[in-house]
Amino acid sequence: KSRRSEASPEMSSSDDDDDLPLTQRQRALENTSEPLNEKASHAENSSEEENMPIAKRKMSGAPSITKRPKPEPVPTKQQTQNGHSKTNKPSTAKSFAPRQPAPPKQQTQKAPPAKKKRKVTSSDSEDAGHDGGGDDGVDDYDDDSDDDDDADDDFDDELEAKPTIASKPKPQAKASGGKLPAKASKGKPPAKASKGGASSASAVSTTLAAVGGAGSTWYEEEGAEGGWKRGGVKWNTLEHGGVVFPPPYEPHGKKLIYNKEQIALNPEQEEVATMFAAMKDTDYGKNPVFRKNFMSCWLPLLKTTQEGKKVKNLDQCDFTIIADHLDAVKAAKKEMTKEEKARLKKQKEDAEAHCMHAMVDGRPEKVGNFRVEPPGLFRGRGAHPKMGMLKARIAPEDITINMSEGAKVPEVPDMGDGKEHRWNEVVHINNVTWLAKWKDSVNGEDKCVWLAPTSSWKGLSDKAKYEKARQLKQHIEEIRRDYMLGMKPAKPQKTQQQAVAVYLIDRLALRVGGEKDTEEEADTVGCCSLRKEHMLFDGPENVLHLKFLGKDSIEYDNATEIIPEAMKCIKSFLKGKKGEDEVFDEIKPGILNDYFKSVMEGLSAKVFRTYNASITLDAELRKTEQQVTRAQREKEGDVNALYNYYNLANKNVAELCNHQRATPQSHAAAMEKFDAKIEQLQAEIKQAKKDKSPKVDGLNKRLIKLQADRKAKDDTKNVSLGTSKINYNDPRITVAWCKRFEVPITKPFPKTLVSKFTWAMSVEPEYEF
């Protein structure tokens, strides 16, 4: 039977296509006449194309699609913030695949009317502009959250869940008197902590060894992940030790040189000057936007003293004396003895022990980023318009604590200013997973304290995320038929725009995009916010060249052959538009997500990136036996050859998701070290051959392995492989592959990821995404 037969029941309902590689499933929707019984010859002819990421694979014409009947829109009830319900009128927006959405599930917990809570919009307190502190004890986790609705984490959604139990208002505390201009606290009156909180919190920090690791066995409970529902109850009892504040600033008394004159600074002025002195020789310190914003924050402090008023121009400021002091302090730390370093480390651990673990439903869980950010200069991600602005010191009056009702509230620590402080608020909201939060003074976003990435909450969320992406596999053909139908010339332009946008999200793994205030954040874009200036037509026919700044201001620059139907629609969208005009001016991200939810419960645009990343990795790794030959294994070493291929497969995923990075500054030095070692080995081999030494074979194997390692490192210098491993690739794919080919799991996964993905370690070798 031909794949072009649009009415064929085999095409729409057979499970056979789901078992095919990604490119062969793709051809099921494209204008080819290849018989199904020619899979073997087809796979042989397309081996070169299969090695490419999905974004670079060729596509041809589309089949015609039979239109499904359109059901009548049904009004739905939505719970308002005060706990009541309102009826939404049916949307008048047209969809190219209309259907009745699944009714929302009834909440099990009761949500009484409560005062309005401030909205949490940040998913993590690990800011890219973080200048110290905030270390959660886990190495380099990247939550990959962004403003384009692509956090791939249910934590973002549950932050806006409605409270189940609200605390009573507490008396207002006196204002904070920090040295830096602290931001004003808003919200409910501060709540005073009960005495003895520190001692009670110490009981929370139970040694994990006693229970075999915090949250380490939730995945052994059958169907445990099924209970992880958005907005559902996450805990019954929660107790923790609060947060750790940075120490108060200690003045050093070093002077600023301004126009060749030494200027004495007071502690507030000196602290901010020291922040800049530490960064003056970096790219940030030379950035005009950074310098301008820094000066706008520093000048008001300078004007508080007669000496400070003399400083008006940053270009005439010389921070050398302060920078030399910082270098001396750094050098002194390096000269500390091993015993001194161990003593300081123990002092720090003892002071923070009460915050390191929380008790969740009676079991200990490790807390992640429990340290409050110290004041510093905001860096942001990419070309952020607010880089260089001053992040104010956070006080207890800024912080909201979330824990069980009746649990002992953590004691407010001594802030070193001689004043009594209180928490802003203590709440008891058990359908969210943040332990504490405060508002960022630069962007106005809430920063939250979560459990560590190795916790059961994060494991449940991760597993639910990948299961949702696997579920998309059952609906992807339906979505693809929908957008091919939506591109028909007879369809309204709004329907065509929606269809092409879904096509690009599916095929190119673009983020959905959204409106942004470029005065508040960097001008990064996604699919829905693409402008005419981002689309170039400088290649062969039907090749779309996209060039724009994506998440974290990483440039997306990719020329891809797309289907003629999509190209024709795009060119029609651009007629009469200027460079700054949006391509998809008739649709918004919400329209796309509403359509996705009508296809599959909980589906959103961000699930496509997880789906495409995981299914691409799975397909690439299933070609291991064909791509890694026996000769190559014998030459490079079995594990080494397999691991290098794994990195190439993961590189394809990273390229698909545009996980690019600038070449690390250390790359050239690393290559020089490789070359030096290779040269040394070659000399040893030459001498061994001359001496007729039996070590020749061993040295040759070492040389081959070293050359392979060098090539692999150089091939991936501009690709961030860690992001896809942590956030997009189903870890069970990697674990199953390691079991099939007897590769140690610690090769692709560092110890931190092995701990994070403990729930995936028991998967069978035959696991398929």
Side-chain angles (χ1 to χ4, degrees):
K1 296 181 181 179
S2 171
R3 290 183 184 270
R4 298 185 62 179
S5 178
E6 63 182 57
S8 171
E10 286 81 5
M11 175 177 173
S12 60
S13 61
S14 174
D15 292 333
D16 294 340
D17 283 350
D18 285 341
D19 295 327
L20 297 177
L22 186 57
T23 50
Q24 292 187 34
R25 287 201 315 278
Q26 173 179 309
R27 288 183 176 82
L29 294 174
E30 296 172 0
N31 188 18
T32 64
S33 56
E34 180 188 19
L36 290 174
N37 59 4
E38 295 183 3
K39 290 180 184 176
S41 61
H42 173 79
E44 181 179 350
N45 295 334
S46 64
S47 59
E48 181 178 353
E49 183 179 346
E50 288 276 14
N51 288 328
M52 300 180 185
I54 184 174
K56 298 182 179 180
R57 297 172 185 172
K58 295 182 179 180
M59 301 177 188
S60 54
S64 58
I65 305 297
T66 303
K67 183 176 180 180
R68 293 191 300 276
K70 177 179 179 180
E72 292 295 325
V74 179
T76 59
K77 288 188 176 181
Q78 179 180 357
Q79 192 177 40
T80 60
Q81 194 159 10
N82 61 5
H84 296 89
S85 298
K86 65 179 181 179
T87 300
N88 293 334
K89 296 180 179 180
S91 173
T92 57
K94 294 182 179 179
S95 169
F96 55 81
R99 58 181 64 75
Q100 180 176 339
K105 293 187 177 180
Q106 186 175 0
Q107 297 292 338
T108 57
Q109 70 274 20
K110 187 177 180 181
K115 288 194 289 184
K116 184 177 181 180
K117 303 289 181 182
R118 62 187 183 188
K119 182 179 179 181
V120 180
T121 56
S122 175
S123 63
D124 203 314
S125 67
E126 294 178 1
D127 190 340
H130 188 14
D131 299 299
D135 181 12
D136 59 7
V138 182
D139 297 339
D140 297 328
Y141 277 102
D142 178 9
D143 286 337
D144 203 46
S145 61
D146 66 280
D147 298 324
D148 289 342
D149 190 32
D150 189 37
D152 275 282
D153 195 333
D154 287 337
F155 286 172
D156 289 344
D157 304 298
E158 62 107 49
L159 278 172
E160 299 183 14
K162 300 170 181 61
T164 57
I165 305 175
S167 62
K168 297 179 180 179
K170 304 293 177 68
Q172 178 67 42
K174 295 181 180 180
S176 170
K179 294 181 179 180
L180 285 182
K183 61 181 189 59
S185 301
K186 297 181 180 180
K188 291 188 176 181
K192 187 174 182 178
S194 58
K195 297 296 182 182
S199 60
S200 66
S202 63
V204 175
S205 56
T206 307
T207 305
L208 295 183
V211 292
S216 60
T217 57
W218 63 266
Y219 47 85
E220 296 176 0
E221 301 173 9
E222 186 175 354
E225 72 279 3
W228 189 263
K229 298 294 184 182
R230 183 178 303 171
V233 173
K234 301 300 190 298
W235 50 266
N236 295 311
T237 61
L238 173 63
E239 186 178 357
H240 57 88
V243 296
V244 172
F245 289 92
Y249 177 71
E250 297 182 3
H252 49 66
K254 305 302 178 183
K255 294 184 178 180
L256 171 75
I257 300 176
Y258 183 75
N259 200 17
K260 300 182 179 180
E261 177 186 354
Q262 289 195 7
I263 304 294
L265 303 174
N266 67 21
E268 293 86 354
Q269 298 164 347
E270 179 191 286
E271 183 177 10
V272 180
T274 303
M275 297 174 190
F276 187 86
M279 303 176 66
K280 68 182 184 68
D281 295 326
T282 66
D283 292 340
Y284 286 105
K286 300 171 184 177
N287 186 293
V289 176
F290 188 93
R291 293 170 66 88
K292 178 183 176 182
N293 288 336
F294 163 73
M295 203 61 185
S296 68
C297 295
W298 193 34
L299 275 177
L301 295 175
L302 292 170
K303 291 179 180 179
T304 59
T305 63
Q306 289 299 319
E307 284 283 284
K309 289 179 181 179
K310 298 177 182 179
V311 181
K312 298 180 180 179
N313 189 341
L314 183 57
D315 293 336
Q316 297 181 35
C317 294
D318 185 349
F319 297 87
T320 302
I321 297 177
I322 300 176
D324 289 345
H325 166 73
L326 295 177
D327 290 340
V329 171
K330 187 182 297 184
K333 288 183 178 179
K334 289 183 178 180
E335 293 176 359
M336 292 174 63
T337 65
K338 184 178 180 181
E339 292 74 16
E340 289 175 326
K341 291 179 180 179
R343 177 174 53 81
L344 290 178
K345 181 180 179 181
K346 187 176 186 309
Q347 288 178 355
K348 180 182 179 183
E349 290 175 348
D350 291 343
E352 298 177 347
H354 64 286
C355 290
M356 294 183 69
H357 299 95
M359 292 298 292
V360 181
D361 293 338
R363 70 177 184 276
E365 295 268 15
K366 187 174 181 181
V367 180
N369 48 323
F370 56 81
R371 300 181 185 94
V372 175
E373 297 174 297
L377 300 181
F378 179 71
R379 302 178 191 180
R381 292 182 172 182
H384 203 291
K386 289 188 175 182
M387 63 167 64
M389 294 188 69
L390 178 62
K391 294 188 293 183
R393 185 177 293 275
I394 302 299
E397 285 78 8
D398 300 313
I399 293 182
T400 298
I401 301 291
N402 186 29
M403 61 196 317
S404 297
E405 190 171 17
K408 284 216 171 182
V409 178
E411 184 177 358
V412 178
D414 181 6
M415 299 299 291
D417 57 4
K419 297 184 179 182
E420 182 181 2
H421 292 273
R422 298 180 180 182
W423 301 119
N424 170 56
E425 188 180 11
V426 176
V427 297
H428 320 290
I429 311 174
N430 66 354
N431 58 353
V432 299
T433 58
W434 54 267
L435 311 184
K437 68 178 182 180
W438 62 90
K439 192 169 288 291
D440 173 73
S441 63
V442 175
N443 293 317
E445 298 176 344
D446 278 5
K447 299 298 183 76
C448 296
V449 174
W450 311 97
L451 294 185
T454 55
S455 69
S456 60
W457 284 352
K458 182 60 177 171
L460 286 163
S461 176
D462 281 344
K463 189 171 184 181
K465 175 180 72 174
Y466 293 117
E467 285 302 312
K468 186 185 293 182
R470 290 184 78 196
Q471 187 181 355
L472 174 57
K473 182 178 177 180
Q474 303 171 14
H475 301 274
I476 193 66
E477 301 302 329
E478 177 184 5
I479 292 171
R480 289 171 178 171
R481 287 195 297 271
D482 280 349
Y483 65 58
M484 295 310 307
L485 176 62
M487 293 183 205
K488 294 293 183 180
K491 297 293 182 179
Q493 188 172 88
K494 182 175 182 178
T495 302
Q496 291 181 338
Q497 287 191 8
Q498 186 173 339
V500 175
V502 175
Y503 168 81
L504 295 179
I505 289 171
D506 175 30
R507 296 304 189 184
L508 304 188
L510 298 183
R511 293 179 173 88
V512 67
E515 296 180 354
K516 292 198 173 187
D517 184 351
T518 55
E519 294 183 1
E520 296 291 322
E521 50 190 330
D523 183 22
T524 59
V525 301
C527 183
C528 290
S529 52
L530 285 170
R531 300 190 290 269
K532 182 178 180 179
E533 60 190 348
H534 299 141
M535 291 188 170
L536 306 175
F537 304 93
D538 51 4
E541 185 180 7
N542 295 325
V543 171
L544 177 64
H545 183 182
L546 294 177
K547 187 174 183 180
F548 58 89
L549 289 183
K551 177 196 166 187
D552 297 344
S553 295
I554 298 296
E555 185 179 49
Y556 183 99
D557 188 357
N558 193 12
T560 310
E561 183 176 359
I562 63 175
I563 58 175
E565 290 84 351
M567 179 63 77
K568 185 177 180 180
C569 287
I570 288 173
K571 289 185 176 179
S572 70
F573 303 159
L574 298 178
K575 287 182 180 179
K577 291 183 178 178
K578 299 178 181 179
E580 65 274 14
D581 292 338
E582 289 187 348
V583 178
F584 302 103
D585 55 335
E586 295 190 29
I587 61 171
K588 299 296 180 184
I591 294 177
L592 296 186
N593 283 323
D594 286 345
Y595 161 68
F596 292 140
K597 290 173 185 176
S598 73
V599 176
M600 185 187 103
E601 181 183 0
L603 180 61
S604 63
K606 62 185 179 182
V607 179
F608 279 83
R609 287 173 64 80
T610 307
Y611 165 80
N612 276 319
S614 294
I615 205 164
T616 299
L617 180 68
D618 189 88
E620 294 295 325
L621 292 182
R622 291 191 180 279
K623 298 186 291 185
T624 301
E625 292 181 340
Q626 291 75 33
Q627 296 294 326
V628 185
T629 63
R630 180 178 299 178
Q632 187 178 357
R633 294 190 191 188
E634 292 175 353
K635 182 179 179 181
E636 299 180 12
D638 197 55
V639 171
N640 194 61
L642 290 166
Y643 177 57
N644 286 339
Y645 176 72
Y646 174 89
N647 279 338
L648 290 177
N650 192 32
K651 179 187 176 185
N652 279 349
V653 175
E655 289 176 343
L656 167 66
C657 296
N658 197 42
H659 293 155
Q660 305 292 329
R661 66 174 182 179
T663 302
Q665 295 181 353
S666 60
H667 181 73
M671 291 296 101
E672 290 177 3
K673 288 182 180 180
F674 269 117
D675 292 338
K677 289 181 179 179
I678 290 172
E679 186 177 348
Q680 181 182 350
L681 267 177
Q682 289 173 335
E684 292 179 14
I685 291 172
K686 184 176 180 180
Q687 184 63 41
K689 287 180 177 179
K690 185 177 180 181
D691 298 339
K692 298 182 179 180
S693 171
K695 296 181 179 180
V696 173
D697 289 341
L699 291 173
N700 275 325
K701 289 182 179 179
R702 285 175 55 193
L703 177 62
I704 292 170
K705 179 181 182 302
L706 198 60
Q707 290 172 332
D709 289 345
R710 185 194 186 283
K711 183 178 184 302
K713 191 172 185 66
D714 192 48
D715 288 344
T716 58
K717 63 179 180 293
N718 295 121
V719 180
S720 177
L721 299 178
T723 302
S724 53
K725 285 183 185 180
I726 295 168
N727 292 300
Y728 292 95
N729 296 341
D730 184 342
R732 293 169 293 188
I733 298 171
T734 298
V735 174
W737 178 82
C738 285
K739 290 182 178 181
R740 289 199 301 271
F741 293 96
E742 299 182 349
V743 175
I745 188 60
T746 50
K747 289 294 287 183
F749 284 172
K751 288 189 293 185
T752 49
L753 285 189
V754 173
S755 298
K756 174 180 168 67
F757 295 132
T758 306
W759 58 269
M761 297 302 154
S762 60
V763 71
E764 295 297 326
E766 296 78 21
Y767 175 81
E768 182 177 359
F769 181 77

